[in-house]
Coordinates of all heavy atoms in Angstrom, one line a residue:
A297 N -62.1 32.6 -0.4 CA -63.5 32.9 -0.6 C -64.2 33.0 0.8 O -63.9 32.2 1.7 CB -64.2 32.0 -1.5
A298 N -65.1 34.0 0.9 CA -65.9 34.1 2.1 C -66.9 32.9 2.2 O -67.4 32.5 1.1 CB -66.6 35.4 2.1
P299 N -67.2 32.4 3.3 CA -68.1 31.3 3.4 C -69.5 31.7 3.0 O -69.9 32.9 3.2 CB -68.0 30.9 4.9 CG -67.5 32.0 5.6 CD -66.6 32.8 4.6
A300 N -70.3 30.8 2.4 CA -71.7 31.1 2.0 C -72.5 31.3 3.3 O -72.1 30.8 4.4 CB -72.2 30.0 1.2
T301 N -73.7 31.9 3.1 CA -74.6 32.0 4.3 C -75.0 30.7 4.7 O -75.5 29.9 3.9 CB -75.8 32.9 3.9 OG1 -75.3 34.1 3.3 CG2 -76.7 33.2 5.1
P302 N -74.9 30.4 6.0 CA -75.2 29.0 6.4 C -76.8 28.8 6.4 O -77.5 29.7 6.5 CB -74.7 28.9 7.8 CG -74.6 30.4 8.3 CD -74.3 31.2 7.0
A303 N -77.1 27.6 6.1 CA -78.6 27.2 6.1 C -79.1 27.2 7.5 O -78.3 27.0 8.5 CB -78.7 25.8 5.5
P304 N -80.4 27.5 7.8 CA -80.9 27.5 9.1 C -80.7 26.1 9.7 O -80.8 25.1 9.0 CB -82.3 28.0 9.0 CG -82.7 27.8 7.6 CD -81.4 27.9 6.8
A305 N -80.5 26.1 11.0 CA -80.3 24.8 11.7 C -81.6 24.0 11.6 O -81.5 22.8 11.4 CB -79.9 25.1 13.1
T306 N -82.7 24.5 11.8 CA -84.0 23.8 11.7 C -84.9 24.5 10.7 O -85.2 25.6 10.8 CB -84.7 23.7 13.1 OG1 -85.0 25.1 13.5 CG2 -84.0 23.0 14.1
P307 N -85.3 23.7 9.6 CA -86.1 24.4 8.6 C -87.5 24.7 9.2 O -88.0 24.1 10.1 CB -86.2 23.3 7.5 CG -85.9 22.0 8.2 CD -85.0 22.3 9.3
A308 N -88.1 25.7 8.6 CA -89.4 26.1 9.0 C -90.4 25.0 8.6 O -90.3 24.4 7.6 CB -89.8 27.4 8.3
P309 N -91.4 24.8 9.4 CA -92.4 23.7 9.1 C -93.2 24.1 7.8 O -93.5 25.3 7.6 CB -93.3 23.6 10.3 CG -93.1 24.9 11.0 CD -91.7 25.4 10.7
A310 N -93.5 23.1 7.1 CA -94.3 23.4 5.8 C -95.7 23.7 6.2 O -96.3 23.1 7.1 CB -94.2 22.2 4.9
T311 N -96.3 24.7 5.6 CA -97.7 25.1 5.8 C -98.6 24.3 4.8 O -98.2 24.2 3.7 CB -97.9 26.6 5.7 OG1 -97.4 27.0 4.4 CG2 -97.1 27.3 6.8
P312 N -99.7 23.8 5.3 CA -100.6 23.1 4.3 C -101.2 24.1 3.3 O -101.4 25.3 3.6 CB -101.6 22.5 5.2 CG -101.6 23.3 6.5 CD -100.2 23.8 6.6
A313 N -101.5 23.6 2.2 CA -102.1 24.5 1.2 C -103.5 24.8 1.6 O -104.2 24.0 2.2 CB -102.1 23.8 -0.1
P314 N -104.0 26.1 1.4 CA -105.3 26.4 1.8 C -106.4 25.6 1.0 O -106.2 25.3 -0.1 CB -105.4 27.9 1.5 CG -104.3 28.2 0.5 CD -103.3 27.1 0.7
A315 N -107.5 25.3 1.7 CA -108.5 24.6 1.1 C -109.3 25.5 0.1 O -109.5 26.6 0.4 CB -109.5 24.1 2.2
T316 N -109.6 24.9 -1.0 CA -110.3 25.7 -2.1 C -111.8 25.5 -2.1 O -112.4 25.9 -3.1 CB -109.6 25.4 -3.4 OG1 -109.8 24.0 -3.7 CG2 -108.2 25.8 -3.5
G317 N -112.3 24.8 -1.2 CA -113.8 24.7 -1.1 C -114.3 23.5 -1.9 O -115.5 23.3 -2.1
G318 N -113.5 22.6 -2.3 CA -114.0 21.4 -3.0 C -114.3 20.3 -2.0 O -114.2 20.4 -0.8
T319 N -115.0 19.2 -2.5 CA -115.3 18.1 -1.6 C -114.3 17.1 -1.7 O -113.8 16.8 -2.8 CB -116.7 17.6 -2.0 OG1 -116.7 17.1 -3.3 CG2 -117.8 18.6 -1.7
T320 N -114.1 16.5 -0.6 CA -113.1 15.4 -0.6 C -113.7 14.1 -0.2 O -114.7 14.2 0.6 CB -111.9 15.7 0.3 OG1 -112.4 15.9 1.6 CG2 -111.1 17.0 -0.2
T321 N -113.4 13.1 -0.7 CA -113.9 11.8 -0.3 C -112.9 11.0 0.4 O -111.7 11.0 0.0 CB -114.4 11.0 -1.5 OG1 -113.3 10.8 -2.4 CG2 -115.6 11.7 -2.2

Side-chain angles (χ1 to χ4, degrees):
T301 306
T306 57
T311 55
T316 56
T319 59
T320 58
T321 60

